[in-house]
Amino acid sequence: MIWKSERPSNIALIKYMGKSDIERNKPSNSSLSWTLDHLKTTVVLEQINGVEDVWEPLPTDFPFPMSEKGKQKYLNHFKRLKDHFSVKGSFILRSGNNFPADCGIASSASSFAALTEVSCLAFSELSQKKIDIYKKAELSALGSGSSCRSFLTDWVMWDGEVIKPIDSDIKNLQHMVVIVGEDTKKISSSQAHKIVPTSALYQGRAERAEHRLNDFVSKMNKECWPELFQLSWEEFWDMHALFETSRPAFGYFLADSFDVLRSARFFWQQEGDGPLVTMDAGPNVHLLWREDQVDLSLKFFQENIAKRWTCLTNIHGIGFHKV
Ligand code: PMV
């Protein structure tokens, strides 16, 4: 028997960084993300006669490299799901993205969400046990915390217990990620979660993030766009400051990351308008534009990005493409 599911990725504007319970991936603070519907992982599951579960890349337009450690983490999560449903037997799981996995966009959210989704589909059928979306998200969070936010759309909050959609008149955001580096991460986000408590700035981090999240949610309307920019800007700097002040310090910035950020800041000053800007645990810069800002986003792209970097975007509604 074969089952197939896909889930999208998401980008956090208020970050989950630091855990109150490492084993169960309980976050130290609530987080808020925008679902990236155009960036998806597909997982196909097939029952086999073997003695163990195996993972293989799903043939797609983009290679899906997975380290030995990554593969083990993925298979462990799968085992956890099997145990939850008391399902026995072996399976082959094949996964692939509709976007390049080597471009520095965190794909763990979509890949763990898609694995959880397809497993719940298969195992609820095999075991006759029903499961709702909130329970799926809870199980997914045990594999990768941020993946639970990929079960809803489009603004999603996770407080460590449940995911919740947040209503706003800001819809159909256009996403651009400026690729300044493609190397695989030296420090994974799982390691980062463990190291950040050594930073002196970790003291008060949960309170700052919660406060910023409440502020952000109370201003989630088009009129407050500049304030939302300010809050997302402060938030990713806060997370990266934790990295750079940990003991030992680590970080993801490249010189070009600063150049892109400076361009975005100057653009806001010049135009009095611009994108929400954020960075994940990586060197690339994510920009989110309102749907009425398409011309402005192209101006920014032509003036600042086109000559130096590759950018991946869903602007113009023609799918995720390189420009
Ligand atoms: O889900 P994890 O354990 O890979 O953590 C991801 C954390 C960040 O991507 C850095 C921030 C976030 O909230 O998505």
Side-chain angles (χ1 to χ4, degrees):
M1 281 173 92
I2 293 185
W3 298 267
K4 180 177 174 181
S5 299
E6 58 181 33
R7 288 313 309 157
S9 189
N10 68 73
I11 180 75
L13 280 309
I14 304 295
K15 313 287 183 184
Y16 149 51
M17 183 42 60
K19 302 179 187 180
S20 59
D21 178 342
I22 291 189
E23 290 312 308
R24 299 191 59 78
N25 284 349
K26 290 286 177 201
S28 302
N29 61 270
S30 311
S31 55
L32 176 80
S33 60
W34 173 260
T35 308
L36 299 170
D37 285 322
H38 52 290
L39 301 183
K40 290 181 196 139
T41 298
T42 303
V43 182
V44 177
L45 196 61
E46 187 180 348
Q47 244 173 338
I48 51 169
N49 283 327
V51 285
E52 58 179 16
D53 300 321
V54 275
W55 175 85
E56 268 182 10
L58 187 70
T60 67
D61 289 347
F62 305 102
F64 194 96
M66 184 111 87
S67 65
E68 260 325 297
K69 214 169 155 196
K71 217 181 286 182
Q72 218 38 63
K73 196 175 166 200
Y74 213 51
L75 289 168
N76 286 347
H77 183 59
F78 183 64
K79 171 151 191 334
R80 180 186 293 129
L81 295 165
K82 272 166 67 177
D83 291 347
H84 177 82
F85 285 91
S86 311
V87 163
K88 302 266 178 280
S90 299
F91 295 80
I92 178 159
L93 20 149
R94 298 187 179 91
S95 56
N97 292 340
N98 71 343
F99 59 97
D102 58 357
C103 71
I105 303 170
S107 57
S108 78
S110 55
S111 53
F112 276 86
L115 174 59
T116 307
E117 179 73 31
V118 77
S119 306
C120 290
L121 176 73
F123 302 158
S124 55
E125 213 174 292
L126 293 173
S127 69
Q128 302 294 315
K129 282 187 200 159
K130 285 208 171 73
I131 182 158
D132 69 19
I133 197 168
Y134 295 97
K135 187 66 191 172
K136 282 186 215 172
E138 193 185 316
L139 288 171
S140 201
L142 296 171
S144 151
S146 58
S147 73
C148 72
R149 298 186 309 241
S150 285
F151 282 83
L152 292 175
T153 196
D154 36 22
W155 293 105
V156 183
M157 197 185 109
W158 177 42
D159 64 6
E161 295 300 327
V162 284
I163 47 164
K164 195 163 100 178
I166 307 282
D167 195 33
S168 166
D169 67 354
I170 302 171
K171 301 194 188 302
N172 301 320
L173 288 178
Q174 308 290 299
H175 176 236
M176 261 184 191
V177 55
V178 185
I179 310 299
V180 301
E182 302 195 4
D183 288 355
T184 47
K185 291 181 198 178
K186 302 241 171 357
I187 304 274
S188 67
S189 48
S190 308
Q191 288 169 294
H193 285 295
K194 285 188 191 145
I195 309 172
V196 291
T198 62
S199 161
L201 302 179
Y202 194 67
Q203 184 90 34
R205 159 65 193 162
E207 292 73 18
R208 288 198 300 282
E210 294 291 348
H211 184 263
R212 209 172 273 135
L213 188 143
N214 290 334
D215 212 4
F216 196 100
V217 170
S218 74
K219 291 178 176 137
M220 261 169 63
N221 58 73
K222 287 180 191 156
E223 286 70 45
C224 294
W225 185 256
E227 281 119 300
L228 297 182
F229 159 71
Q230 191 60 44
L231 290 166
S232 4
W233 184 269
E234 287 163 9
E235 172 63 7
F236 83 77
W237 279 106
D238 193 343
M239 179 174 79
H240 283 266
L242 290 178
F243 301 154
E244 293 288 354
T245 55
S246 284
R247 295 182 181 196
F250 62 101
Y252 300 93
F253 273 79
L254 294 175
D256 283 9
S257 316
F258 286 105
D259 288 353
V260 178
L261 292 173
R262 225 180 355 234
S263 306
R265 182 156 48 77
F266 287 154
F267 192 79
W268 260 97
Q269 278 159 9
Q270 243 175 44
E271 303 286 334
D273 199 4
L276 302 187
V277 180
T278 193
M279 290 176 69
D280 208 60
N284 301 316
V285 181
H286 293 256
L287 308 172
L288 291 165
W289 303 83
R290 298 186 314 269
E291 54 186 337
D292 60 292
Q293 286 180 313
V294 170
D295 289 345
L296 201 65
S297 71
L298 294 176
K299 182 172 188 232
F300 176 77
F301 175 73
Q302 290 304 341
E303 287 177 359
N304 299 285
I305 308 298
K307 288 194 195 77
R308 287 184 66 187
W309 300 288
T310 301
C311 181
L312 292 159
T313 181
N314 65 335
I315 285 181
H316 279 342
I318 56 169
F320 207 54
H321 57 286
K322 247 186 194 181
V323 281

